[in-house]
Amino acid sequence: MTSPLLQVENLCVSFPGTGGARVRAVDGVSFTIERGKTLGLVGESGCGKSTTGYSLLQLIKPTSGRVIVDGIDIASLSRREMRPYRRRLQIIFQDAAASLDPRMSVGDLIGEALDIHGLARGTARLPRIRKLLDLVGIPARLLQRFPHELSGGQAQRVAICRALAVEPMLIVCDEPVSALDVSIQAQIINLMQDLQKELGLAYLFISHDLSVVRHISDRIAVMYLGRIVETADKHEIFGSAAHPYTKALLSAVPVPDPDMERTRERIVLRGDLPSPANPPSGCRFRTRCPVPIDDCAQIDPPWKTLSETHHAACIRIQGIPETSLFEGVRY
Amino acid sequence: MTYSSPSAETEIEIVRNETGRQLAFRQFLRNRAATVGLVCLLVICLVAIAAPLIAPFDPAAIKLSEKLRPPSLIHWLGTDHFGRDVLSRMIWGARISLSVGLTVVIFALATGVPVGLISGYTGGNTDNTLMRLMDGFLTFPPLLLGVAIVGLLGPDVQNVMLALGIVQMPVFARIVRSATLAVREETYITATRALGAGVGRIIGHILGNIMSAIVVQVTIGFSAAVIAEASLSFLGLGVQPPASSWGRDLSEARRFMNDAPWLFLAPTAAIMICVMSINFLGDGLRDALQPRSWRSHRPAAKEPNAT
Amino acid sequence: MTSPLLTVNNLRTSFRSDRGTVRAVDGVSFTLNRGEILGLVGESGSGKSMTAMSIMRLIPEPPGSVEADELRFDGIDLLALSERQMLDVRAARIAMIFQDPMRSLNPVLSVGRQLTETLRRHLALDGAAARRRAIELLEMVGIPMAKSRLGAYPHEFSGGMRQRVMIAIALSCNPSLLIADEATTALDVTVQAQIVDLIKTLVKDIGASVIWISHDLGLVANLCDRVNVMYAGRIVESGPIRDVFYRPSHGYTLGLMSCTPRIDLVGERLRPIEGLPPDLSRPMTLCPFLPRCAHSVDRCRTERPALIEEQPAHWASCFADLTGSWRQTT
């Protein structure tokens, strides 16, 4: 068996909060990503999913934990030692236009990525830039454009192109389509899927939109308040979600089908996300959980293995739930 | 409220090979006031450089028989109380004023920008130490600090330049620091870091994007220096006679305000025109350096499938 | 049959810009019945928010210009009202909630103050009565410990709670029409579900009509009785929710449905709508969706389709026959 492309072990990130308390934005997160596969990381705002993505790339230094790429723990590397590994891991952002220096043209932006790692110099440079732009469907006539002259979809294509220029193995995608209109969103999702097939890329796809995540992911990890509460292959999450939070999340996603919308059962959670500076004792979800018991406040729920690929952290899980949230739909 | 959609593109369009700098220049030329400012400043510079060639008289030549003459065909701007030609003094004075402005700004740039960049980029204790130091400078009223330094080192143009440079350094440092702090958090800086760019390249990106703030400060600093030099010379701390400077002449003209108003008006007008040109130039540069104003292509004239 | 609450006839909103006149809303007509929830869907720039802003007369003129053959709300001709009279209508009769509650609330005034101010001005309540009513309202929108939170400032509330406060303010004068412009877009799905439930029950209780503006087809499917699909400043399809969702009759509606990833369906490849929306500053003589349409027919290239009633109450402006192009879910 080959080792996974990326292995994250017990990753913790904390920030200094108000009054000396440390805010544990990411609190012991572990997962692996296989070559050419997509892990969807879902959760609501403030659950630490973006921080997880940033700390994988060492853009935020993890407080503790290991990030293993090719057998090397990059979390322990110095800034200088880290630089060659930056080529392996890339990132794209929600606001693509803001991720491009406003003073640089499309051609210069892609060229810079090549220059940083000394790829394609001299006469090989321009043809390489054109080829890369072609790969993401940006016509060559946009080469001289500046970021503010691009539409949202075009800007995201250029951002993807810039990431691809350094030939990464994994791209962390931080809500890459959330700011786009659905028609453009579909174009970008399809592009990302095509690129994955063509180049064997792996994605960490961070999003709050479960419909999109379901569409693009192979595996899914659900985060709540700095922890992963459930992780499983896609069909397992959508077919037999075990954690009450995952169930609530799934049931809250609107479906563009009036009859199903009006008949399906909805688990409406109470209240808001507690502050990560002061998380509830025991299970962090218990304050909003529809089915809490007394033990939940005492026991930090251990991982339960539901199948080889399906794990969830909830003391109330007995077996694999069988009922589907969407009746009549096969998974 | 404009409703712009970037979809105005079709295949028919002119692609120009222009860098951001060229586009910024094109945008700059669209601003009439700024262009006038630039032209005025260029003229003043040329006059200053060519002073020995174009000044009709020796600015220091005393001719008491001609003293306090109003403007005439021979002395376009009249003469002063020593019978010196005011126009010639203005022309030579431009040399002093401009070189003071230039030197002061270069000094402040060379010292203030690195301090601000280091402070903003590294943050933490370095930032605290540097900024407290700069705050220390800023607590003195600027002119007073200038007077103190010149008083310490002796009245001389070079000392005036040094004094004004020191006065302006913390202002540059603060502005560069706050601009750096803002730009450092931009997504494109994070994105560039993620690409593996080194510190030098990141600093390059930051500098490029705080350039408009720096340019504006340069023009403010330049005009402040011209005025400050005038003030110090007015107080007798700057240029020493018989050399001429706009401020010096203004200070001397004060005694003859009623008898010879031209003596007073000429340096005032010179300072005003110079400072205003610089300010217009600065405004224009600030706007032109905003990438939002750059257009690398011309929107096509009509939609092919509309008719 | 009673008269509709709101009648919009041939609404045209345009803006002058350096690139010419932009027709943000270009001949929109619809009616809204009492107690009805009407959805306005479309992508950014489709004119859905502009339609709402025009109805509320919130478009700054100039650079904007709002014209209509008829804009009648509960028997009142909105276009004939003075700015002062309109102010009263806006506060007491038509309420609006926006995507970003933080920007709609004044950050330096306490939530209680903002609530009671509205109540005192428009319902002429005295201080104590306004306070009691404010607490009632906050309780009604599900804010725990309402009494103690009257003195709190907007930044002390979470996003969901702020939107609840906005709803409380919007509903404080028992409006007959509530316009919600992407009211839940900035919220997390679990909080969105709470807010949608809340709005559903509240408008039923006070008998208000709702115009629900959203880009999210799922939300519209959940909440609305009827839906108008907008594209390039026009309504391209309009009808009862089930008709539009199960038998989309315009190429754009169909395209929108096909490119939306769905949580209930196994991932087939998405069928995106290629290209970009048209530039609204250029005159359009054909169907605005034609350059992006996957179902266009020859006739689309020669004349512009009118909005016609294809099925009872189901209107669409499309020449293509889309029967059977969409999976029948039920």
Side-chain angles (χ1 to χ4, degrees):
Chain A
M1 204 182 126
T2 55
S3 63
L5 172 64
L6 175 90
Q7 210 169 332
V8 176
E9 285 173 11
N10 210 12
L11 187 75
C12 294
V13 183
S14 58
F15 301 110
T18 46
R22 304 237 1 131
V23 178
R24 301 164 83 131
V26 179
D27 194 8
V29 160
S30 307
F31 56 83
T32 58
I33 300 178
E34 307 285 337
R35 270 160 232 280
K37 299 285 184 197
T38 303
L39 174 70
L41 189 58
V42 295
E44 297 177 280
S45 49
C47 72
K49 55 190 194 301
S50 291
T51 310
T52 305
Y54 278 50
S55 62
L56 279 196
L57 276 83
Q58 312 297 308
L59 293 172
I60 298 175
K61 264 284 177 212
T63 321
S64 65
R66 308 207 299 162
V67 179
I68 299 163
V69 182
D70 279 352
I72 292 181
D73 175 18
I74 59 169
S76 66
L77 298 181
S78 72
R79 224 184 226 192
R80 190 174 294 275
E81 291 168 325
M82 177 64 200
R83 280 179 65 185
Y85 286 90
R86 293 236 179 262
R87 262 188 81 183
R88 310 280 176 85
L89 310 177
Q90 277 302 305
I91 184 165
I92 56 174
F93 301 86
Q94 172 169 5
D95 188 349
S99 75
L100 307 171
D101 188 327
R103 328 186 75 78
M104 289 170 81
S105 67
V106 169
D108 291 343
L109 284 162
I110 310 299
E112 180 183 44
L114 296 173
D115 296 345
I116 288 174
H117 294 280
L119 313 161
R121 289 173 217 262
T123 51
R125 196 166 172 268
L126 191 61
R128 180 87 189 115
I129 293 172
R130 282 174 184 271
K131 203 170 162 221
L132 282 163
L133 286 173
D134 190 46
L135 195 64
V136 296
I138 290 283
R141 68 193 155 81
L142 300 188
L143 211 58
Q144 303 296 331
R145 292 278 178 92
F146 289 89
H148 70 272
E149 298 175 298
L150 303 173
S151 69
Q154 286 169 342
Q156 195 55 281
R157 281 173 199 265
V158 171
I160 293 173
C161 182
R162 206 160 118 94
L164 290 180
V166 301
E167 296 154 11
M169 291 147 59
L170 172 85
I171 299 183
V172 172
C173 314
D174 187 12
E175 305 263 12
V177 296
S178 304
L180 304 173
D181 275 321
V182 269
S183 68
I184 311 298
Q185 179 178 310
Q187 294 174 6
I188 300 294
I189 292 174
N190 283 354
L191 171 71
M192 290 181 65
Q193 288 182 322
D194 293 344
L195 290 171
Q196 178 163 55
K197 230 176 279 164
E198 208 166 312
L199 306 170
L201 289 169
Y203 293 132
L204 175 66
F205 197 96
I206 299 167
S207 181
H208 69 279
D209 187 335
L210 280 108
S211 311
V212 171
V213 167
R214 150 153 228 191
H215 199 82
I216 201 162
S217 308
D218 300 297
R219 281 182 65 75
I220 285 169
V222 180
M223 255 184 113
Y224 186 81
L225 222 56
R227 294 240 173 120
I228 291 179
V229 295
E230 183 162 7
T231 165
D233 280 353
K234 167 162 75 177
H235 63 94
E236 286 171 316
I237 285 273
F238 289 95
S240 48
H243 197 282
Y245 178 61
T246 314
K247 287 185 191 169
L249 210 52
L250 286 171
S251 85
V253 177
V255 179
D257 182 326
D259 289 345
M260 186 189 290
E261 267 303 299
R262 280 151 213 238
T263 51
R264 78 190 240 242
E265 198 188 327
R266 241 206 187 96
I267 306 163
V268 175
L269 294 180
R270 292 162 295 157
D272 287 329
L273 205 66
S275 155
N278 186 19
S281 66
C283 173
R284 298 178 164 212
F285 182 57
R286 71 179 164 82
T287 52
R288 295 174 77 199
C289 184
V291 288
I293 52 174
D294 290 346
D295 277 353
C296 293
Q298 266 82 53
I299 305 169
D300 197 354
W303 282 100
K304 282 206 174 143
T305 303
L306 298 155
S307 80
E308 207 174 299
T309 50
H310 189 176
H311 310 270
C314 174
I315 54 171
R316 296 213 58 193
I317 296 172
Q318 304 300 334
I320 304 170
E322 301 205 337
T323 50
S324 156
L325 279 160
F326 304 105
E327 225 141 312
V329 179
R330 286 178 302 108
Y331 288 93
Chain B
M1 199 177 297
T2 54
Y3 211 100
S4 74
S5 79
S7 59
E9 68 206 9
T10 60
E11 300 306 320
I12 339 156
E13 62 182 56
I14 307 141
V15 178
R16 296 201 202 88
N17 280 337
E18 281 171 315
T19 60
R21 217 166 280 139
Q22 287 166 313
L23 293 168
F25 184 62
R26 184 187 303 280
Q27 185 62 30
F28 177 83
L29 291 182
R30 289 197 192 115
N31 184 334
R32 206 170 299 157
T35 315
V36 170
L38 178 68
V39 170
C40 277
L41 201 65
L42 282 178
V43 168
I44 297 175
C45 285
L46 279 177
V47 164
I49 292 167
L53 301 175
I54 59 168
F57 294 91
D58 179 351
I62 295 170
K63 199 174 179 190
L64 290 172
S65 59
E66 294 281 308
K67 73 173 191 179
L68 295 176
R69 289 284 163 88
S72 65
L73 277 178
I74 305 164
H75 298 288
W76 290 4
L77 296 178
T79 59
D80 69 3
H81 53 293
F82 288 121
R84 295 175 297 195
D85 179 48
V86 173
L87 176 63
S88 303
R89 289 190 68 79
M90 288 302 104
I91 291 173
W92 281 90
R95 285 195 149 191
I96 300 287
S97 294
L98 288 186
S99 55
V100 167
L102 211 63
T103 322
V104 165
V105 162
I106 289 173
F107 179 86
L109 268 180
T111 51
V113 171
V115 169
L117 265 179
I118 293 170
S119 200
Y121 186 74
T122 41
N125 281 336
T126 321
D127 180 26
N128 270 332
T129 317
L130 285 174
M131 278 305 120
R132 289 305 79 77
L133 202 69
M134 293 298 122
D135 285 348
F137 280 112
L138 281 175
T139 49
F140 294 102
L143 199 60
L144 217 60
L145 187 62
V147 168
I149 297 173
V150 175
L152 216 66
L153 300 175
D156 172 49
V157 186
Q158 261 115 49
N159 291 342
V160 167
M161 292 179 187
L162 180 68
L164 295 180
I166 291 173
V167 167
Q168 292 209 3
M169 172 186 65
V171 182
F172 272 79
R174 287 208 76 103
I175 281 171
V176 169
R177 172 181 175 267
S178 62
T180 304
L181 279 180
V183 171
R184 195 184 66 172
E185 300 303 321
E186 294 282 351
T187 316
Y188 57 81
I189 296 297
T190 315
T192 312
R193 272 173 65 207
L195 273 178
V199 176
R201 194 177 282 272
I202 301 285
I203 296 271
H205 278 272
I206 293 178
L207 256 180
N209 283 285
I210 63 173
M211 203 40 91
S212 69
I214 295 180
V215 163
V216 171
Q217 187 52 39
V218 162
T219 60
I220 295 174
F222 193 104
S223 45
V226 169
I227 294 171
E229 182 274 328
S231 317
L232 286 176
S233 295
F234 184 89
L235 294 173
L237 288 168
V239 183
Q240 294 308 304
S244 66
S245 119
W246 296 343
R248 174 104 229 149
D249 288 4
L250 189 61
S251 105
E252 287 179 4
R254 131 189 83 129
R255 287 187 284 151
F256 309 98
M257 200 106 98
N258 292 327
D259 309 331
W262 60 89
L263 271 190
F264 174 78
L265 287 175
T268 311
I271 293 172
M272 246 176 68
I273 292 172
C274 181
V275 167
M276 271 169 71
S277 305
I278 296 165
N279 288 350
F280 282 146
L281 177 71
D283 284 352
L285 281 175
R286 183 197 56 210
D287 294 344
L289 287 172
Q290 294 299 324
R292 289 235 151 253
S293 68
W294 302 350
R295 290 221 171 278
S296 67
H297 68 289
R298 213 177 267 162
K302 70 188 236 272
E303 197 178 17
N305 47 28
T307 39
Chain C
M1 206 177 126
T2 54
S3 64
L5 179 70
L6 178 74
T7 309
V8 179
N9 198 350
N10 198 14
L11 177 71
R12 301 174 304 275
T13 304
S14 55
F15 292 93
R16 254 165 220 277
S17 77
D18 50 354
R19 306 226 327 256
T21 305
V22 175
R23 290 178 191 78
V25 181
D26 192 7
V28 160
S29 307
F30 65 91
T31 57
L32 176 68
N33 295 322
R34 282 162 212 279
E36 187 177 43
I37 304 183
L38 173 72
L40 275 188
V41 293
E43 298 177 273
S44 42
S46 64
K48 53 193 198 304
S49 294
M50 286 298 159
T51 303
M53 301 280 273
S54 306
I55 294 169
M56 291 290 270
R57 299 243 330 256
L58 286 171
I59 304 278
E61 300 180 61
S65 137
V66 179
E67 291 169 64
D69 294 352
E70 192 181 5
L71 189 53
R72 194 166 289 280
F73 167 75
D74 206 7
I76 312 165
D77 180 3
L78 291 182
L79 287 177
L81 295 186
S82 69
E83 185 50 39
R84 249 212 98 66
Q85 291 168 311
M86 194 60 214
L87 219 57
D88 289 334
V89 171
R90 273 205 288 269
R93 307 291 315 276
I94 311 180
M96 197 161 178
I97 46 178
F98 298 93
Q99 177 174 346
D100 185 354
M102 196 61 199
R103 277 201 224 160
S104 326
L105 289 167
N106 185 340
V108 298
L109 291 183
S110 74
V111 158
R113 172 90 186 272
Q114 298 187 49
L115 252 174
T116 47
E117 210 160 76
T118 325
L119 292 167
R120 290 171 71 162
R121 186 177 327 137
H122 298 289
L123 299 184
L125 295 179
D126 63 40
R131 209 181 125 79
R132 271 200 304 279
R133 176 80 181 126
I135 295 171
E136 255 174 55
L137 282 163
L138 288 182
E139 276 166 356
M140 181 180 85
V141 295
I143 291 181
M145 297 177 294
K147 202 169 185 173
S148 61
R149 305 212 71 172
L150 271 186
Y153 289 86
H155 70 268
E156 298 174 76
F157 289 80
S158 68
M161 284 299 162
R162 280 201 286 266
Q163 198 57 285
R164 284 170 195 267
V165 172
M166 275 314 294
I167 294 171
I169 294 176
L171 298 183
S172 59
C173 301
N174 289 325
S176 359
L177 172 60
L178 175 70
I179 300 180
D181 188 358
E182 302 276 5
T184 60
T185 304
L187 305 175
D188 286 318
V189 273
T190 57
V191 180
Q192 169 173 283
Q194 298 168 358
I195 299 289
V196 167
D197 271 10
L198 179 70
I199 288 185
K200 257 185 178 169
T201 33
L202 289 182
V203 296
K204 200 173 284 173
D205 288 351
I206 65 172
S209 305
V210 179
I211 296 181
W212 182 263
I213 300 170
S214 178
H215 69 280
D216 189 329
L217 291 174
L219 273 180
V220 170
N222 177 338
L223 198 62
C224 302
D225 306 314
R226 273 197 310 138
V227 60
N228 289 340
V229 182
M230 289 194 69
Y231 188 77
R234 293 154 185 265
I235 293 178
V236 294
E237 182 164 0
S238 165
I241 193 83
R242 294 186 73 250
D243 289 0
V244 174
F245 274 75
Y246 296 136
R247 284 178 294 280
S249 303
H250 191 281
Y252 176 63
T253 318
L254 184 58
L256 209 52
M257 305 264 226
S258 317
C259 73
T260 307
R262 293 175 60 153
I263 200 162
D264 60 325
L265 292 175
V266 190
E268 53 196 75
R269 193 175 162 81
L270 297 174
R271 277 169 289 168
I273 305 175
E274 296 302 339
L276 296 165
D279 181 350
L280 297 174
S281 64
R282 296 183 196 167
M284 278 177 282
T285 48
L286 297 174
C287 169
F289 188 60
L290 176 62
R292 305 176 74 190
C293 188
H295 303 271
S296 60
V297 294
D298 286 345
R299 208 176 154 196
C300 300
R301 275 169 273 277
T302 55
E303 61 180 299
R304 172 169 203 155
L307 192 64
I308 54 165
E309 193 167 13
E310 303 203 333
Q311 302 286 325
H314 185 177
W315 300 67
S317 63
C318 188
F319 291 131
D321 180 16
L322 300 176
T323 325
S325 315
W326 183 244
R327 50 180 163 241
Q328 300 288 311
T329 315
T330 44

